[in-house]
Each structure stands twice: as structure tokens, then as C-alpha cells.
Amino acid sequence: MSSVKKVLLYPFSIDCPYFEGYAWAMELAFRMRASLQLFTTISATQNVKGSTDSIYHSLLEAHGHFLQHYQHEEIKSHEVKREACIIQGGELKEELISHLKKNPVDIVIIDSSISTVHTSGMREIVMESGGVILLSEDQPSGADKPHPSRTDHFYDRLRRADLYKLPENFFDTLGNDHSLFNYLRKFIQRKRI
């Protein structure tokens, strides 16, 4: 693995539920030892100060959700450098593509709540990034199902995601994660039953 820090980008909108996707992106950033850009836009007609305050407040809530439900002893969120990129201008998809052209990233993580709104720009987003992970909808665990472990949840979500043009060393990097072995063992055992 190279010494250059990897950069992941997670686009979000406070108008759509994004906390689960944020938590998954945080966990991926930790596992890859990457920094995480949190990308969103505000309309040119909105009050910039009030809008950015709302976005930062929402990001604090999202991080609180991550700390409460997903952080565990192996994951130390303070080790993940996060940077908010708030662009005033047009539509999220157009601004994201423009941002990617000027600021290359290794992987863009797109939540299902965003992808349903912006499917028309997927080809351009894939073209302008090092790779894209399109997360599928999170499957809620029912009362009859045991709640999956955090590792199982992370890898199950990755397994159900659509992956586009990921960097060559993506799976090698995750392969260094010892919890992957436990997940694969449980997954294979479930398939046999």
C-alpha cells in the first residue's frame, strides 16, 4: 500500500436520510486509513450562514449516530480525518461532478437515498472518480432476526453494494482486516444451512 493517504468522498443531502450511509463511510475510511470528504450543496438563493449551520448541525447528529450505534473498540473515529465540502450553487449531481474534476478522489460512496435522485449522473461520477461504491438500501433487522454484529453489517452492506471501477488495491487493503475472516466464515456457514 502506498504512503499517500487515500481520499474517500461521501455526498449527502440533509433533505434525505443519510446517517446509516455516513456511518458506513466512516467505517470504510477507518479500515482503509483514508480521509473522508463530506460533500453537499446549498442553493444560491438560500441564506448561506443559516444553511451551513444546519449542515454542520446535521453532520454532528450523523457523527453522534455513528458513535452510538457503530463505533466499537477497534474503530477509533478520531483517526479518520473528516472534511466538510459545502458548495453554494446548483444541483448536487452537477456540483459533485465539477468537484471531482478539480479534486480527484479514490472512491466516492453514494448512499441509496442520493442515488435514486441522481441516477442520470452515475456514468459521469464513475468516470471522474477513482471508483464508486453505490450502497443499497439498508435492510432493517426484524424482531425475529438477531441484530448483526458491526463487522457483519459493514461487510454485508459492501456485499450488496454495486461497485464500479474500484482501485486495484481496494480488496487487498480490506483483506488486511482480520474481522473480514470472521465475517466470511459466518457468511459461508449461513449459506450451507
Side-chain angles (χ1 to χ4, degrees), residues 92-142:
L92 181 65
K93 174 190 75 168
E94 301 303 324
E95 294 298 335
L96 175 59
I97 292 167
S98 175
H99 178 79
L100 290 171
K101 286 179 180 179
K102 297 175 204 160
N103 306 288
V105 299
D106 295 292
I107 299 173
V108 177
I109 303 154
I110 301 179
D111 200 347
S112 58
S113 63
I114 294 292
S115 67
T116 56
V117 177
H118 304 291
T119 52
S120 62
M122 272 305 285
R123 181 188 296 161
E124 289 178 85
I125 293 169
V126 169
M127 208 167 52
E128 296 300 335
S129 66
V132 173
I133 297 175
L134 179 59
L135 297 175
S136 62
E137 286 189 41
D138 198 18
Q139 295 178 336
S141 55

Side-chain angles (χ1 to χ4, degrees), residues 139-148:
Q139 295 178 336
S141 55
D144 56 338
K145 290 186 199 174
H147 194 302

